[in-house]
Amino acid sequence: MQALVQRAMGVLAQIEAWLPPAPPAIDWTAQAFRWQRRGARGWLDAVHRIAPIHLDDLQHVERQKSVLERNTRAFLEGKPANNVLMTGARGTGKSSLVRALLDAYGAQGLRLIEIDKSDLGDLGQIIELISGRPEHFIIFCDDLSFEEGEAGYKALKSALDGSVSSPGDNLLIYATSNRRHLMPEYMHENLDAQHQPDGEIHPGETVEEKISLSERFGLWLSFYPFAQNDYLDIVNHWLAFHGCTDSQIQASRPEALQWALERGSRSGRVARQFARDWAARQL
């Protein structure tokens, strides 16, 4: 009998060696967190080195900035606030706005939890972890979109609006996407008067199901490509940030336009990339 017990203990020790380590204790002093998963275990990993950006650094998105800032202030003050979906042109400041809000309101109790789309099925665990905390948390998912059958789709719908349990007053979901309805749509789905090859009897209801997720975000903010002068304004801002003189900034104009032309985009991201390159060469 003793030999059998020892053998069982040995087997258990081998199994334990293969299990992922226990999640570390959460460092609630941090202002930002990243949801991490290893095997069956997930935890909030504190982020202490946050990429710096300020609200004043984001140019020519004044309307979107004011709406998002107003919603976030209401959230921090305990007033009604909405989940937010930001869609539109790439590189126009959607993700940067969320990080800039943390810079502006972190001292007032705002906290940010970054989560990958593939881990959205863990939203229930995250809600349990932050339930009852005095801070106000924004769960942030960047470049959100879904393909057919992805598991996180249903979990996000439930967390936004539809679950019998409340996510609490200290949680909002902010997401960015280049796709307004978050899932692909096809021309044949609009032909609901015809029989479909896949046997779907009510294809119109399939379309409604796809649209319903984005409708659960209370605020939609759209971002658009910048005009040429707007793009140059952003370039000038970042060149001044890096210490370039007025004469150097004026001399950069032709190269800034060529830089945007080569990349096929006049976005804020392209403007900042050019400013880094130009400033490095001039300084």
Side-chain angles (χ1 to χ4, degrees), residues 177-190:
S177 178
N178 294 326
R179 181 184 287 165
R180 189 161 68 100
H181 285 147
L182 303 180
M183 291 190 71
E185 299 177 64
Y186 305 98
M187 288 296 295
H188 70 77
E189 293 174 339
N190 294 317

Side-chain angles (χ1 to χ4, degrees), residues 252-270:
S252 73
R253 180 185 174 97
E255 282 199 39
L257 295 175
Q258 182 67 26
W259 184 281
L261 185 63
E262 290 173 351
R263 283 152 181 76
S265 173
R266 289 194 299 257
S267 70
R269 180 182 296 130
V270 169

Side-chain angles (χ1 to χ4, degrees), residues 228 231-236 239 249-263 265-266 270-271 274-275 278 281:
Q228 178 173 295
Y231 164 75
L232 290 173
D233 283 346
I234 299 170
V235 168
N236 296 347
L239 287 174
I249 291 173
Q250 289 300 318
S252 73
R253 180 185 174 97
E255 282 199 39
L257 295 175
Q258 182 67 26
W259 184 281
L261 185 63
E262 290 173 351
R263 283 152 181 76
S265 173
R266 289 194 299 257
V270 169
F274 169 77
W278 176 267
R281 287 185 281 125

Side-chain angles (χ1 to χ4, degrees), residues 4 10 51 140 187 271:
L4 183 61
F140 175 54
M187 288 296 295

Side-chain angles (χ1 to χ4, degrees), residues 6 10 72 105 119 133-134 147 165 167 182 198 221 227 234 244 274:
Q6 290 178 347
T72 305
Y105 296 101
D119 293 329
R133 294 289 309 175
E147 299 301 330
S165 61
L182 303 180
D198 59 4
L221 294 176
I234 299 170
C244 292
F274 169 77

Side-chain angles (χ1 to χ4, degrees), residues 34-39 41-43 114-126 139 141 144 146 150-153 155-156:
R34 185 178 291 111
W35 180 252
Q36 302 281 17
R37 166 163 288 282
R38 185 178 299 171
R41 292 174 177 170
W43 68 92
E114 188 176 38
I115 184 172
D116 291 334
K117 178 189 70 171
S118 58
D119 293 329
L120 285 173
D122 297 335
L123 278 175
Q125 295 182 47
I126 298 175
I139 293 182
C141 188
L144 180 65
F146 294 98
E150 288 196 60
Y153 178 81
L156 181 57

Side-chain angles (χ1 to χ4, degrees), residues 154-253:
K154 297 290 185 182
L156 181 57
K157 278 185 66 176
S158 179
L160 286 168
D161 184 15
S163 173
V164 68
S165 61
S166 169
D169 296 329
N170 68 337
L171 168 68
L172 283 181
I173 297 175
Y174 285 7
T176 70
S177 178
N178 294 326
R179 181 184 287 165
R180 189 161 68 100
H181 285 147
L182 303 180
M183 291 190 71
E185 299 177 64
Y186 305 98
M187 288 296 295
H188 70 77
E189 293 174 339
N190 294 317
L191 306 177
D192 53 2
Q194 301 180 11
H195 294 293
Q196 301 299 318
D198 59 4
E200 174 67 55
I201 298 176
H202 302 291
E205 293 181 0
T206 302
V207 177
E208 290 296 319
E209 164 72 9
K210 292 185 174 184
I211 295 175
S212 66
L213 175 59
S214 55
E215 285 188 344
R216 296 193 181 200
F217 288 91
L219 283 178
W220 287 6
L221 294 176
S222 298
F223 292 72
Y224 305 98
F226 295 123
Q228 178 173 295
N229 288 337
D230 296 341
Y231 164 75
L232 290 173
D233 283 346
I234 299 170
V235 168
N236 296 347
H237 169 82
W238 287 114
L239 287 174
F241 173 83
H242 289 301
C244 292
T245 65
D246 290 342
S247 60
Q248 289 172 328
I249 291 173
Q250 289 300 318
S252 73
R253 180 185 174 97

